[in-house]
Amino acid sequence: MSRTKHDSLILLLLLLIAILSISSVESGRPPFACDPRNGLTRSLRFCRTNLPIHVRVRDLLGRLTLPEKIRLLVNNAIDVPRLGIRGYEWWSEALHGVSNVGPGTKFGGSFPGATSFPQVITTAASFNESLWERIGQVVSDEARAMYNGGMAGLTYWSPNVNIFRDPRWGRGQETPGEDPVLAGKYAASYVSGLQSATGNRLKVAACCKHYTAYDLDNWKGVDRFHFNARVSKQDLADTYNVPFKACVVEGKVASVMCSYNQVNGKPTCADPDLLKGTIRGQWHLNGYIVSDCDSVGVMYDTQHFTVTPEESAAATIKAGLDLDCGPFLAIYTDLAIRRGLLTVTDVDMALANTVTVQMRLGMFDGEPSAQPYGHLGPRHVCTPDHKQLALEAARQGIVLLKNSGSLPLSTSRHRTIAVIGPNSDVTETMIGNYAGVACDYTSPLKGISRYVRTVHQVGCSNVACKANNLFGFAEVAARHADATVLIMGLDQSIEAEFKDRTGLLLPGYQQELVTRVAQASKGPTILVLMSGGPIDVSFAKYDRRVSAILWAGYPGQAGGTAIADILFGTTNPGGKLPMTWYPQSYVAKVPMTNMGMRPSPGYPGRTYRFYKGPVVFPFGHGLSYTNFKQSLALAPTDLSVLINTNLFATKNYSTLSSNAIKVKHTNCDSLSLPLHIDVENIGNMDGTHTLLLFSEPPTSVKWSQNKQLISFHRVHVVAGSKQRVKIDIHACKHLSVVDEFGIRRIPIGQHSLYIGDLKHSISLQANLEGIKN
């Protein structure tokens, strides 16, 4: 055989192996239902893809027996062999990458890992909606690939869009921060990317959780299973529910998860006003409502909401719950029906919502490989592009908190760096919680070592830092290096699900380590913090020997590279804090159990919107290696608000209560103003600027006197150049506030807009022309 023929044969064999490997992935997942090879089921009406989904759903429900229906009300749904339907595990997670936290997903074989993006609080600091959506698209590509390979489901109970109300909350790291507008924009963007909807069809089904007013896990003996969150109508409407509404209305999410806690004495999963009334009635959810895991059981066993378990089962389904993560509904629904507490129609309505989502996912369309995402497989997971996006997300989310001029470091002047601290060479710490198995890791030490020679000392054996016996080695390293980078902070042993913090200081002896190393350091000392929640590092902020502070959050699998790129100026930092960094003294005044957002006597209030006391670093803080200048290019000063003319015919004077018009009584489509802002880079380095636009209502509005974020835009500006940002100010959306009764109104009078140091006023007048007498 000639060499040419031999080479051709080898190439042909390699091609055949590649084709067979692709085929093995595509055939790794047998059809969930409607297998075209099954002569008994392939012609069933619910398998006909040319029929409308609601017709197919109705046909399927008509074929199921009551025992089958009941066993489909829980997350580990049974198979129905006589109808060719396989069992399905609904619980999978994809908070910032495909995760194996839920039983629906596992790693191994052709799928050893998946791209692990930065934890949500870090990504939120980018204030970049297009980034959030792109991450969602990548995560769902990898999720579909794993589904095709038989390793994952298609229903992902992510994202967590709760408000980061209290800085001690262990799960604050999972959220987009403390601001409802920011959280809502994140929710809608990430969900849009995850679901990648084409018409009514979904790539995967997302789920916004935990609805609602849930942000306490375990604090001083109070846990989420027993907690009754007492929330005013005003706080519910203008804070806690805002991200969930955005998730449903703007993001078109396919699912909402109700939480463990009670709200005003009623479990959220059994509250018809919250579920049927709000999620379905007002927001028009096209999807299903699922309980947090075992929360239906918690409602009966722990909260003692009903006398009998079947009453709890009936209460949740009648309130609007469609799926129970846990066994409770599978056990007690039949008895609830036999006792007349529930009807089969109630069960059918719940199942219609879950099955409809499965059909929108193509699970009843036969062979997965023949569907739009059937080509996705192992080669679409952990791709170079996906890894690059994880790196870019980390770069965009890291926040420069302080810089006295020592950053960026120079590879020519700082040839040896002392890298010190318990988080200096970590890997899994960087991906936070609700993570999977990362493709690979670059630790901070490894990232810095790519630039210069490093000397490494941990200083503390872990973040608890309960001893200082290793401090001497760290001091020696700092004394002989050209610069010192301390990488400190927290990890999941300090803040996590089930674990809220009691204070805001660095754990153990960490503060002493920072101070001693800074004193010993020959060159500049840079403090890098890994954490989900804020840390009171006032000591370092005011210590002149600590010349710079970076917050990296939990920066994901590529975190070490991103940290090093910012330290050495390859990347110009542009992140902004998505939450307030409070002093330690704040938490002594505020019990976690107080859900009030607004200040009251002896209570300082919460988040930048209501708390006006001292802070370590404010919401939206973040520095750059360059300087930006903002100026108004177009800024109208007046807007006429037209009231619907028939309202006063019935003397509905409540429309103008407190000189503020109900949003529902105006023509919102006509209430828009253009605002143009020029952003100029007046420094010497290209950079990205995040423009934050706040509004403040007229001083006459005593029931809602606060400044709030209404819009944000991230713009890249080349050194010496200018970019124009155009924003449409919608009065109903941006200038409205919520009154004490939970009603959204547009105050009449002078509203103030704030963009950095700029302030602009817009006067709103009520237009009563044409109103009937």
Side-chain angles (χ1 to χ4, degrees):
M1 181 185 294
S2 69
R3 179 74 179 176
T4 303
K5 288 183 178 180
H6 178 269
D7 290 347
S8 298
L9 183 58
I10 293 294
L11 287 172
L12 186 61
L13 286 171
L14 289 172
L15 180 61
L16 182 60
I17 291 169
I19 293 171
L20 287 173
S21 68
I22 293 170
S23 299
S24 68
V25 169
E26 294 174 344
S27 61
R29 164 74 66 178
F32 168 75
C34 304
D35 190 337
R37 294 161 294 194
N38 187 336
L40 296 176
T41 61
R42 65 188 177 194
S43 61
L44 294 176
R45 192 169 171 80
F46 66 78
C47 292
R48 297 180 187 173
T49 58
N50 62 326
L51 294 175
I53 285 179
H54 72 274
V55 173
R56 300 169 66 192
V57 170
R58 187 168 60 243
D59 178 75
L60 173 58
L61 295 182
R63 297 175 186 273
L64 293 169
T65 65
L66 181 58
E68 289 168 343
K69 290 177 180 179
I70 290 172
R71 280 296 282 112
L72 295 176
L73 291 172
V74 291
N75 63 291
N76 56 338
I78 61 163
D79 58 343
V80 186
R82 65 185 186 84
L83 296 178
I85 300 172
R86 296 180 179 273
Y88 181 68
E89 176 54 67
W90 285 82
W91 180 8
S92 289
E93 301 278 357
L95 184 68
H96 51 107
V98 179
S99 167
N100 55 354
V101 170
T105 303
K106 57 184 179 293
F107 291 103
S110 299
F111 300 94
T115 309
S116 192
F117 290 92
Q119 181 60 287
V120 176
I121 194 70
T122 311
T123 310
S126 71
F127 283 80
N128 188 341
E129 294 176 68
S130 62
L131 173 69
W132 303 332
E133 184 171 0
R134 179 65 186 131
I135 290 173
Q137 292 168 345
V138 166
V139 172
S140 58
D141 274 354
E142 298 195 350
R144 263 287 177 171
M146 292 181 68
Y147 173 79
N148 292 341
M151 303 293 280
L154 289 177
T155 47
Y156 289 85
W157 294 348
S158 305
N160 178 343
V161 297
N162 292 117
I163 295 297
F164 197 172
R165 168 189 64 98
D166 192 290
R168 294 162 288 193
W169 187 30
R171 301 187 73 178
Q173 60 183 291
E174 302 172 30
T175 76
E178 71 180 35
D179 182 80
V181 170
L182 172 61
K185 292 291 187 184
Y186 177 87
S189 300
Y190 187 64
V191 165
S192 295
L194 267 182
Q195 297 191 155
S196 297
T198 303
N200 197 35
R201 294 296 181 130
L202 304 170
K203 184 162 55 164
V204 304
C207 173
C208 287
K209 62 185 185 184
H210 313 79
Y211 180 78
T212 182
Y214 167 76
D215 50 13
L216 178 150
D217 268 67
N218 192 348
W219 179 78
K220 292 189 175 181
V222 180
D223 64 48
R224 59 187 181 175
F225 306 122
H226 296 84
F227 183 52
N228 176 23
R230 300 192 180 278
V231 185
S232 70
K233 291 181 179 179
Q234 189 175 27
D235 286 344
L236 199 64
D238 85 343
T239 299
Y240 295 112
N241 280 359
V242 172
F244 292 97
K245 181 178 181 180
C247 219
V248 176
V249 176
E250 298 171 30
K252 310 296 182 187
V253 75
S255 176
V256 173
M257 176 184 285
C258 51
S259 54
Y260 290 109
N261 58 289
Q262 297 184 357
V263 172
N264 299 327
K266 187 175 288 187
T268 62
C269 293
D271 190 332
D273 291 332
L274 289 176
L275 305 190
K276 278 187 176 178
T278 303
I279 297 177
R280 289 206 185 280
Q282 294 179 27
W283 301 342
H284 308 295
L285 172 72
N286 180 17
Y288 68 97
I289 299 174
V290 61
S291 73
D292 205 341
C293 294
D294 293 320
S295 63
V296 181
V298 165
M299 187 177 88
Y300 171 72
D301 295 323
T302 304
Q303 299 176 359
H304 310 297
F305 183 66
T306 62
V307 176
T308 66
E310 62 269 23
E311 288 172 332
S312 285
T316 56
I317 293 176
K318 292 183 79 70
L321 187 73
D322 303 310
L323 185 70
D324 176 19
C325 179
F328 200 90
L329 291 187
I331 299 170
Y332 296 109
T333 299
D334 181 66
L335 183 56
I337 292 173
R338 286 191 278 115
R339 283 193 54 195
L341 303 172
L342 201 62
T343 67
V344 176
T345 300
D346 294 323
V347 173
D348 283 349
M349 289 176 65
L351 286 179
N353 291 323
T354 55
V355 173
T356 295
V357 169
Q358 288 181 313
M359 289 194 177
R360 292 173 65 196
L361 288 163
M363 294 174 67
F364 285 83
D365 292 354
E367 189 64 56
S369 61
Q371 296 181 35
Y373 304 104
H375 67 286
L376 296 173
R379 70 187 188 281
H380 299 99
V381 179
C382 290
T383 68
D385 285 347
H386 294 182
K387 293 179 181 181
Q388 182 62 34
L389 186 64
L391 172 58
E392 183 58 30
R395 286 169 172 163
Q396 291 192 25
I398 293 174
V399 182
L400 179 61
L401 298 175
K402 172 187 174 181
N403 188 18
S404 300
S406 61
L407 289 183
L409 297 173
S410 166
T411 55
S412 59
R413 287 185 291 110
H414 306 111
R415 296 182 179 182
T416 300
I417 304 290
V419 182
I420 296 168
N423 280 335
S424 57
D425 197 26
V426 294
T427 52
E428 289 188 15
T429 295
M430 297 192 300
I431 62 177
N433 71 348
Y434 276 80
V437 177
C439 309
D440 47 43
Y441 292 105
T442 302
S443 72
L445 175 63
K446 186 176 180 180
I448 295 170
S449 297
R450 290 173 176 172
Y451 280 90
V452 292
R453 178 177 173 271
T454 57
V455 179
H456 181 228
Q457 291 291 334
V458 292
C460 304
S461 57
N462 53 49
V463 294
C465 199
K466 293 182 177 180
N468 60 6
N469 58 300
L470 301 177
F471 287 12
F473 299 106
E475 290 172 295
V476 170
R479 198 172 288 122
H480 292 89
D482 299 318
T484 299
V485 177
L486 283 150
I487 306 175
M488 314 296 286
L490 314 177
D491 64 16
Q492 302 307 303
S493 70
I494 304 294
E495 55 176 356
E497 188 170 12
F498 308 116
K499 186 177 294 184
D500 298 324
R501 289 187 288 164
T502 56
L504 302 180
L505 300 176
L506 283 168
Y509 289 97
Q510 281 198 44
Q511 179 170 327
E512 180 186 336
L513 175 61
V514 174
T515 301
R516 285 177 54 174
V517 166
Q519 289 174 337
S521 182
K522 181 178 72 172
T525 299
I526 294 91
L527 174 61
V528 178
L529 297 167
M530 281 193 198
S531 72
I535 305 171
D536 182 353
V537 287
S538 300
F539 78 96
K541 177 182 177 181
Y542 298 111
D543 187 342
R544 295 168 65 180
R545 292 162 299 192
V546 178
S547 56
I549 305 174
L550 281 175
W551 176 67
Y554 294 123
Q557 65 179 44
T561 301
I563 289 170
D565 288 347
I566 287 176
L567 289 174
F568 287 93
T570 303
T571 297
N572 192 348
K576 303 286 187 184
L577 288 179
M579 73 296 204
T580 302
W581 283 40
Y582 303 88
Q584 169 70 9
S585 58
Y586 172 82
V587 297
K589 307 170 187 174
V590 183
M592 277 194 76
T593 49
N594 190 326
M595 300 295 291
M597 297 300 298
R598 290 160 170 78
S600 59
Y603 180 71
R606 296 184 180 275
T607 75
Y608 80 93
R609 296 164 66 216
F610 305 104
Y611 170 70
K612 305 306 176 186
V615 301
V616 181
F617 295 109
F619 172 88
H621 176 71
L623 306 175
S624 171
Y625 294 151
T626 190
N627 295 304
F628 297 96
K629 178 183 176 182
Q630 300 173 135
S631 58
L632 292 174
L634 176 65
T637 57
D638 299 283
L639 180 64
S640 180
V641 181
L642 180 66
I643 302 175
N644 290 344
T645 56
N646 61 349
L647 295 174
F648 282 70
T650 55
K651 297 187 177 180
N652 190 355
Y653 300 116
S654 65
T655 294
L656 275 171
S657 173
S658 301
N659 203 30
I661 302 168
K662 289 182 179 179
V663 165
K664 65 181 181 180
H665 291 165
T666 65
N667 180 10
C668 288
D669 292 339
S670 65
L671 301 180
S672 178
L673 286 170
L675 184 71
H676 296 177
I677 302 153
D678 285 338
V679 178
E680 184 178 0
N681 185 339
I682 58 175
N684 299 317
M685 187 176 185
D686 297 353
T688 298
H689 178 67
T690 299
L691 186 152
L692 302 178
L693 175 61
F694 298 87
S695 74
E696 189 174 64
T699 55
S700 60
V701 183
K702 303 301 182 186
W703 36 265
S704 190
Q705 260 279 293
N706 60 286
K707 187 171 77 171
Q708 59 186 14
L709 182 71
I710 60 173
S711 186
F712 54 86
H713 296 265
R714 186 179 175 95
V715 56
H716 185 76
V717 190
V718 174
S721 70
K722 182 188 298 185
Q723 293 285 344
R724 179 161 294 179
V725 177
K726 299 179 180 180
I727 303 172
D728 286 327
I729 304 294
H730 297 276
C732 293
K733 187 175 183 180
H734 297 137
L735 303 181
S736 63
V737 291
V738 176
D739 68 14
E740 309 99 307
F741 308 102
I743 298 171
R744 188 163 287 278
R745 296 176 176 274
I746 303 174
I748 299 303
Q750 185 168 287
H751 292 249
S752 299
L753 299 181
Y754 298 89
I755 312 103
D757 295 331
L758 299 176
K759 180 181 179 181
H760 176 70
S761 297
I762 298 178
S763 179
L764 268 59
Q765 303 94 28
N767 185 346
L768 307 180
E769 293 181 6
I771 292 179
K772 300 177 181 178
N773 294 319

